[in-house]
Amino acid sequence: MSTGTSPSSSTANQAVRLAPEARYADELARLHAADADARPTGWKLSPRAVRRFILGDEKLAVSRKFYGDDPLVDRAIVTLMGHQGLMLVGEPGTAKSLLSELLAAAISGDSGLTVQGTAGTTEDHIKYSWNYALLLAEGPSQRALVPSPLYQAMRAGKLVRFEEITRCPPEIQDVLISLMSEKQLMIPELGRNEGEGEGEGARLYARRGFNIIATANLRDRGVHEMSSALKRRFNFETVKPIRDHAFEVELVMAQLQRELDAGGESPVDVPRDVVGLLVTTFQELRAGQTQEGTAIKGLDAVMSTAEAVNVAYAAALQARHFNGGQLTPREIAGQLQGVVLKDSADDVKRVRHYFDTVVRERGKRDAQWKTFHDAARALWQ
């Protein structure tokens, strides 16, 4: 949860991952200074400036942070100016959470107001709970009340993020229906304590700027269907995997280099054709079709761009510390096993078939694919 203070330089240097509003503080400051457009009430930046923050602006030296469907970003920003919440759905690893973080950082200056949906999420996690020591000593009071992230967002006029909303039981999801319709939260315990009539209570009215960004991985196990009433309160946007091969190669290479630089790693030689081999493998196993148009069995495992970056990073670390500092298909093959073995035993058979047919055939014409095939052969026996 955000404290509203900036981290010290020493803390920032040691942090594994900073919130976007801290990581890109300089970019946000430049955008704010150059922002001459009208801003919706409660927003830190105008809609155009929010778009520039997410998609980049060379003139202001603002980096691009979300890659994929640019019109989706425009639609998301427009949705958050209205009365409906924003629901980002799609395959795992398609940067839904990243996009929600960036939107919250640019619009509210705070991406930390987050409810994490799980099977154990309760109504208290969404609304408020109590400090029971103070509750017993003083009775219901503002001092004893523990506000949820959603409560804080309503009070401050900010965005709140609801991660993995469909992992919550339907009756917990539906707590949001009245909150999103009426934009107010009843606190009946405070009303009774102040001598108001039965059924009355304190009310928290959402300030302008408040809205909800929810994310959902609809294909995951443990997912609960949303009610029609709750769906009507959201505008749904689907975040799709990247399909352009050259674009995904550039993205994986850029993010890999960023990870290596952030980790303070010594230089690693990362050949583009090795990353291209990795991206080709992920795209084919994701789509269930080779580049030549041959149908293959797709995997149950998540073969997202984010996973490809994780594989490339782990392989680069292996190459740096154990194999001479040059990334080769050998390290890629070794790290790929950890992705495939997460979900389904059938995936092992499908990957073995992929290597025995597609990769083996390519290895007859290309040395990199031959190395990839030979390195993987021992892993998938």
Side-chain angles (χ1 to χ4, degrees), residues 319-373:
R320 170 66 186 89
H321 294 285
F322 297 106
N323 297 339
Q326 182 176 31
L327 181 65
T328 71
R330 187 176 297 106
E331 290 82 31
I332 297 293
Q335 297 302 325
L336 186 63
Q337 188 178 39
V339 176
V340 175
L341 294 180
K342 290 179 182 179
D343 286 287
S344 167
D346 290 337
D347 280 353
V348 176
K349 299 176 183 177
R350 294 165 185 165
V351 170
R352 184 184 296 132
H353 181 265
Y354 176 75
F355 274 93
D356 287 344
T357 55
V358 178
V359 177
R360 182 180 180 182
E361 189 62 31
R362 287 177 182 160
K364 296 176 180 178
R365 307 184 302 272
D366 187 291
Q368 295 283 30
W369 283 95
K370 186 178 188 309
T371 302
F372 192 41
H373 173 264

Side-chain angles (χ1 to χ4, degrees), residues 182-224:
E182 301 169 11
K183 300 295 190 294
Q184 61 180 335
L185 174 61
M186 293 294 299
I187 314 169
E189 298 91 341
L190 292 184
R192 286 198 294 270
N193 189 54
E194 295 165 4
E196 297 183 11
E198 190 67 28
E200 295 293 328
R203 299 190 187 197
L204 173 67
Y205 294 96
R207 295 182 60 183
R208 290 195 175 275
F210 166 76
N211 210 331
I212 296 177
I213 310 175
T215 64
N217 292 325
L218 298 183
R219 71 169 241 180
D220 278 2
R221 299 182 184 93
V223 163
H224 299 280

Side-chain angles (χ1 to χ4, degrees), residues 4 18 53 68 103 117 162 190 199 216 225 235 245 272 278 280 298 305-306 308:
L18 290 171
F53 175 67
L103 287 165
F162 202 131
L190 292 184
E225 179 66 22
N235 184 30
H245 184 271
R272 182 185 177 86
L278 169 66
T280 298
T305 303

Side-chain angles (χ1 to χ4, degrees), residues 38-167:
R39 303 171 192 169
T41 304
W43 284 36
K44 299 291 186 182
L45 296 173
S46 69
R48 286 180 184 271
V50 173
R51 186 184 194 276
R52 293 188 188 105
F53 175 67
I54 296 171
L55 299 180
D57 186 326
E58 290 185 4
K59 292 182 180 179
L60 293 176
V62 175
S63 61
R64 185 183 184 100
K65 303 166 189 68
F66 178 79
Y67 297 83
D69 187 358
D70 291 1
L72 180 148
V73 175
D74 295 342
R75 295 193 302 270
I77 295 170
V78 170
T79 293
L80 293 172
M81 285 189 281
H83 298 297
Q84 285 185 302
L86 173 63
M87 176 68 71
L88 301 174
V89 301
E91 297 291 310
T94 48
K96 299 182 296 299
S97 295
L98 172 64
L99 179 56
S100 73
E101 274 190 310
L102 295 172
L103 287 165
I107 293 171
S108 300
D110 187 353
S111 64
L113 296 174
T114 307
V115 178
Q116 179 61 53
T118 69
T121 301
T122 67
E123 186 172 340
D124 290 353
H125 293 137
I126 297 175
K127 291 183 173 181
Y128 57 87
S129 57
W130 299 96
N131 179 322
Y132 286 100
L134 287 173
L135 186 66
L136 290 172
E138 303 176 356
S141 66
Q142 283 288 353
R143 210 161 75 92
L145 186 145
V146 180
S148 70
L150 187 141
Y151 186 110
Q152 295 177 64
M154 292 180 70
R155 184 173 58 192
K158 295 182 176 182
L159 297 179
V160 62
R161 300 166 51 224
F162 202 131
E163 292 288 308
E164 308 285 3
I165 188 172
T166 50
R167 290 193 173 277

Side-chain angles (χ1 to χ4, degrees), residues 83 176-184 229 233:
H83 298 297
L176 293 174
I177 293 175
S178 62
L179 295 176
M180 296 181 71
S181 296
E182 301 169 11
K183 300 295 190 294
Q184 61 180 335
R233 271 69 179 180

